[in-house]
């Protein structure tokens, strides 16, 4: 059993809702999944979409579905589904997350929501809950976009947030396109694209996820509810210069793009601090990349995020101004996501007044929220570290997350619909 909550952690009623068998089940599933895609050298995970490690994760999901007697299927975009009840009756309560990872990712980002979904279902069954609506568990494909560069690939394809022609042409680092990778995995890329029939089955989506920040750390709250996902985007900065000899070219004769790049990095950081936004230059390419050569070209990518789209615009404008002469191209942009207010309030109420918090990270639930009411529950992360082998959540907090998910699902599955006026 999880440790008792300290005072102030909200109504502990929902905490008692996970049966001991479901907790044992959670631990067993976690152990099964743990070795898949683990890089022994770094201690991080490499579970990229449509790779061998991904296939192992998928086999695990299918096995868990079958072991519970759930109807298992793969949709047109490669997302995995497990159904309790008749999918065709519609208005399903759907829960899940993703099993893929960033390069050298942590164990929790994604898998917590998928393992948590199966464990929550076990808890519901142990308590004899009789759902009034179908329940589906889902594993979305390539949420991190680590292989093909587009995050939330499976949910974006399903909702039509990306055109299938554009997605299928995306290439990985080895030049393999998504269409070929899907074909190799036995899927039909021609079938990819917006899936109206499937979306019509979904009534509501709830995702459990490890927090990727420190809003809950140091508070008595093990679980929180997301209020919004900040608008965020990626901008490519191309700085051009002229390659030349580092030992023979006078300083005043150089056309060196590196100082402009450096100025842009410093400006982005200063502006982000001033505006309360987030700015990261995490990727840079230098040509010809020689110690004794003045670069001919520096290409760098800015990842920018802010609570408000106007603030994000200012961040990019100021960084562009500092990057004198650079050509700036917006490569991706995700507008602000505000989660369905009534669903969010319902989850907060069921969880005895759980705190709400915003996040700067994108999620499948954010993509789904454009189509159906969606909610995102966070499990406390003591360091806030994510996308790293050091990502961690205490087991008792993960189990509290499962209990919270079970409580929210129970509420959604058993409350009679409001009669029409
Ligand atoms: Zn995730």
């Amino acid at each position: 059993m999880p440790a008792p909550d300290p005072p102030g952690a909200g109504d502990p009623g929902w905490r008692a809702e996970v049966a001991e068998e479901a907790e044992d089940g959670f631990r067993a599933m976690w152990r099964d999944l743990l070795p898949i895609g683990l890089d022994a050298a770094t201690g991080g995970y490499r579970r990229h979409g449509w790779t061998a490690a991904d296939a192992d994760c998928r086999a695990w999901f299918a096995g868990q579905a079958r072991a519970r007697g759930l109807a298992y299927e793969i949709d047109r975009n490669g997302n995995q589904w497990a159904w309790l009840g008749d999918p065709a009756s519609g208005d399903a309560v759907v829960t899940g997350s993703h099993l893929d990872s960033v390069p050298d990712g942590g164990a929790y980002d994604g898998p917590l929501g998928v393992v948590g979904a199966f464990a929550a279902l076990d808890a519901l069954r142990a308590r004899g809950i009789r759902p009034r609506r179908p329940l589906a568990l889902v594993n979305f494909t390539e949420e991190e976009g680590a292989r093909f560069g587009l995050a939330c690939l499976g949910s974006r394809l399903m909702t039509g947030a990306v055109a299938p022609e554009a997605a299928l042409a995306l290439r990985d680092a080895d030049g393999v396109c998504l269409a070929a990778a899907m074909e190799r995995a036995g899927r039909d890329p021609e079938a990819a694209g917006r899936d109206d029939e499937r979306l019509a089955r979904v009534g509501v989506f709830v995702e459990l996820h490890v927090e990727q920040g420190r809003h809950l750390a140091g508070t008595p709250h093990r679980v929180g509810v997301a209020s919004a996902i900040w608008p965020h985007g990626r901008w490519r900065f191309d700085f051009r210069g002229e390659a030349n000899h580092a030992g023979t070219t006078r300083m005043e004769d150089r056309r060196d793009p590196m100082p402009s790049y450096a100025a842009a990095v410093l400006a982005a950081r200063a502006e982000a601090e001033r505006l309360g936004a987030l700015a990261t230059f995490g990727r840079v390419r230098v040509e010809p990349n020689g110690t004794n050569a003045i670069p001919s070209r520096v290409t760098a990518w800015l990842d920018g995020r802010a609570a408000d789209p106007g603030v994000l615009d200012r961040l990019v404008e100021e960084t562009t101004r500092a990057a004198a002469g650079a050509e700036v191209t917006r490569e991706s942009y995700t507008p602000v996501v505000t989660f369905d207010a009534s669903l969010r309030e319902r989850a907060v109420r069921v969880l005895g007044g759980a705190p709400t918090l915003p996040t700067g990270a994108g999620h499948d639930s954010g993509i789904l929220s454009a189509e159906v009411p969606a909610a995102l529950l966070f499990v406390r992360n003591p360091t806030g570290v994510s996308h790293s082998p050091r990502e961690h959540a205490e087991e008792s907090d993960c189990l509290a997350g499962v209990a919270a998910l079970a409580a929210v699902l129970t509420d959604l599955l058993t409350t009679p619909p409001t009669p029409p006026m």
Side-chain angles (χ1 to χ4, degrees), residues 26 30 33 47 57 60 97-101 106-117 208-209 391:
F26 177 89
W30 199 255
L33 204 49
R47 295 167 173 163
C57 288
W60 175 89
S97 190
H98 60 95
L99 292 174
D100 70 306
S101 76
Y108 297 84
D109 178 354
L112 179 60
V114 180
V115 173
L208 179 70
H209 205 278
E391 178 184 275

Side-chain angles (χ1 to χ4, degrees), residues 97-98 100 108-111 143-144 207-210 212 361-364 386-387 391:
S97 190
H98 60 95
D100 70 306
Y108 297 84
D109 178 354
E143 190 272 349
E144 300 289 4
E207 179 171 13
L208 179 70
H209 205 278
V210 67
Q212 298 169 296
H363 295 281
D364 292 313
S386 187
H387 286 187
E391 178 184 275

